Amino acid sequence: MIKFLDLAAHNAQYAEQLKAAACRVIDSGWYIQGAELGTFEKQFSEYCAVEHTIGVANGLDALSLILRSWKTLGLLKDKDEVLVPANTFIASILAISDNDLTPVLVDPDPATFNISVQGILSARTTRTRVIMPVHLYGQMAPMDEIMSIAQRYDWLVLEDSAQAHGASWQGKKAGNWGHAAAFSFYPGKNLGALGDAGAVTTNDQALAERVRHLSNYGSTAKYSHSFKGRNSRLDEIQAAILSVKLQYLDNEIETRQRIASFFINNIKNKWIETPISDYPSAHVWHLFVVKSQYRDELQHYLTTQGIQTLIHYPVAIHNQPAYIELVKTALPISSQLQDEILSIPIYPSLSQANQEQIVNTLNKFTPI
């Protein structure tokens, strides 16, 4: 079986460095908000070319803390609307509703699967205050156009960069376009920790300070709590692990891009559509997602041929029981995508032989 993702094999490449980092933290006796966190925050800020990185517990918290910070800073109020793609992971929407804001689902561009500029303009109302572009599957949304729209209407932009570490648009990395960005370092991400982890990036000092306070029980000084905060902190071991893996991220992205190029150039089957990416540096290929009207049949076929696949995501947000209030929203592209998309294996340690096997197997698929 070609695994969809072999994390054990991937992390084995850096095992000695990862173990040394963990031992360094264990021996230090300091496990929360110490030197390792400060080092990683500085390194990730330099990598993204931003002024501030704040390590938090996970990607959902990163999104939620940004929105909550904007509320406490007086930039948002209850029921303000946030434009967000309908075909994203539910975490993007949970962060909105968690802060008593209103998610407005936008159908994506059918070619890139990212939020469309026309969709943003069509969904705009007098209550719109935030655009949340999600750089889905590792491909950046058209941030120059999105920022232009936001500037025109005086909106805030929150980049959901959970899948796009290292991606760049017009020479500027994900996490440095919007007013703030949220990253997830879930183990399966391109930059993955060995547990849950996340971060906020921003060039806004006031926002950075507020996120830092809210993520630490609302504390501005020990035992002084100016806000109703939460406990959402990136621990020392995960920070140390991420510092190790950040060193290799760009090389791994290049490998992912080569594999994606091989797939796109060699998968030739009229029943299967490969992804579209017009800007090579804008896509870091966290996922390689094909489309087929015979998706379920294709997935079964690949399983029988020893190739593991997943679906990201099989149920669109407006069809989720948790958001029953959105069920009447007309989102034909998202509804179609949930039935046609299939993620095939792509990761740096995927061998050339396995890449060729995947291509050859896909090319032989014929629906019954």
Side-chain angles (χ1 to χ4, degrees):
M1 174 69 71
I2 299 175
K3 294 182 179 181
F4 179 75
L5 176 60
D6 192 343
L7 279 177
H10 176 71
N11 289 322
Q13 304 172 88
Y14 318 122
E16 294 308 312
Q17 289 175 273
L18 296 175
K19 291 173 183 177
C23 287
R24 184 172 67 246
V25 175
I26 293 168
D27 292 344
S28 75
W30 194 292
Y31 309 123
I32 299 289
Q33 293 189 308
E36 299 289 349
L37 175 61
T39 296
F40 174 70
E41 289 179 339
K42 181 176 184 295
Q43 291 173 342
F44 199 65
S45 291
E46 291 172 351
Y47 181 78
C48 296
V50 296
E51 294 295 324
H52 307 281
T53 294
I54 305 95
V56 298
N58 53 66
L60 171 56
D61 279 3
L63 289 167
S64 186
L65 284 162
I66 292 166
L67 293 171
R68 184 173 296 191
S69 294
W70 281 337
K71 289 187 75 174
T72 66
L73 288 166
L75 300 177
L76 296 176
K77 62 181 184 301
D78 288 354
K79 309 307 177 185
D80 279 348
E81 292 179 350
V82 181
L83 305 184
V84 60
N87 58 319
T88 184
F89 183 54
I90 197 170
S92 307
I93 318 301
L94 288 171
I96 299 168
S97 56
D98 182 51
N99 283 286
D100 202 18
L101 299 168
T102 304
V104 176
L105 303 182
V106 179
D107 239 2
D109 182 316
T112 66
F113 307 160
N114 276 328
I115 195 168
S116 72
V117 170
Q118 186 55 51
I120 290 170
L121 294 173
S122 298
R124 176 177 66 91
T125 75
T126 56
R127 295 167 57 194
T128 304
R129 293 293 180 269
V130 182
I131 309 174
M132 185 190 290
V134 179
H135 304 316
L136 197 66
Y137 307 148
Q139 179 165 218
M140 288 191 68
M143 291 306 299
D144 52 341
E145 297 177 81
I146 289 172
M147 294 307 297
S148 178
I149 294 170
Q151 185 175 18
R152 185 190 318 165
Y153 296 110
D154 194 27
W155 294 341
L156 295 162
V157 177
L158 196 177
E159 292 178 77
D160 185 336
S161 300
Q163 301 183 16
H165 321 73
S168 63
W169 183 265
Q170 297 183 352
K172 187 185 291 188
K173 278 193 169 68
N176 192 20
W177 273 95
H179 299 95
F183 286 88
S184 167
F185 304 119
Y186 182 78
K189 304 295 187 183
N190 289 15
L191 179 60
L194 299 186
D196 273 323
V200 170
T201 61
T202 184
N203 292 309
D204 183 336
Q205 183 172 345
L207 175 63
E209 291 176 354
R210 189 59 53 88
V211 169
R212 199 174 291 281
H213 294 154
L214 287 174
S215 66
N216 188 34
Y217 299 100
S219 176
T220 52
K222 193 168 185 179
Y223 300 126
S224 176
H225 304 272
S226 302
F227 311 100
K228 296 174 182 176
R230 66 174 67 173
N231 175 16
S232 180
R233 301 176 297 197
L234 178 60
D235 69 67
E236 287 290 278
I237 285 185
Q238 298 303 340
I241 294 295
L242 289 167
S243 289
V244 171
K245 299 183 77 172
L246 182 59
Q247 302 173 61
Y248 302 100
L249 180 57
D250 284 343
N251 287 338
E252 292 184 357
I253 288 172
E254 290 178 6
T255 302
R256 288 176 178 272
Q257 290 171 338
R258 286 196 298 271
I259 296 172
S261 180
F262 178 77
F263 284 165
I264 290 170
N265 291 331
N266 291 282
I267 295 172
K268 306 295 182 184
N269 187 320
K270 66 180 181 179
W271 308 112
I272 300 169
E273 293 181 41
T274 54
I276 295 173
S277 176
D278 294 330
Y279 303 96
S281 65
H283 207 322
V284 294
W285 301 101
H286 170 57
L287 298 171
F288 191 95
V289 180
V290 300
K291 283 174 54 182
S292 176
Q293 293 180 349
Y294 302 92
R295 190 272 310 283
D296 293 344
E297 191 175 340
L298 174 60
Q299 184 175 39
H300 175 73
Y301 162 74
L302 290 172
T303 300
T304 65
Q305 299 301 307
I307 299 171
Q308 186 180 33
T309 61
L310 294 176
I311 301 171
H312 299 87
Y313 302 97
V315 182
I317 299 299
H318 64 292
N319 294 324
Q320 293 284 357
Y323 285 99
I324 190 68
E325 68 271 20
L326 302 176
V327 74
K328 294 181 180 180
T329 306
L331 297 161
I333 298 172
S334 298
S335 295
Q336 180 182 0
L337 287 176
Q338 73 174 10
D339 297 328
E340 295 186 355
I341 51 176
L342 185 66
S343 303
I344 66 174
I346 185 169
Y347 44 91
S349 59
L350 189 67
S351 71
Q352 183 64 38
N354 282 346
Q355 294 171 45
E356 292 172 2
Q357 181 180 343
I358 290 168
V359 168
N360 292 335
T361 304
L362 285 169
N363 286 343
K364 292 176 182 176
F365 171 72
T366 302
I368 298 174

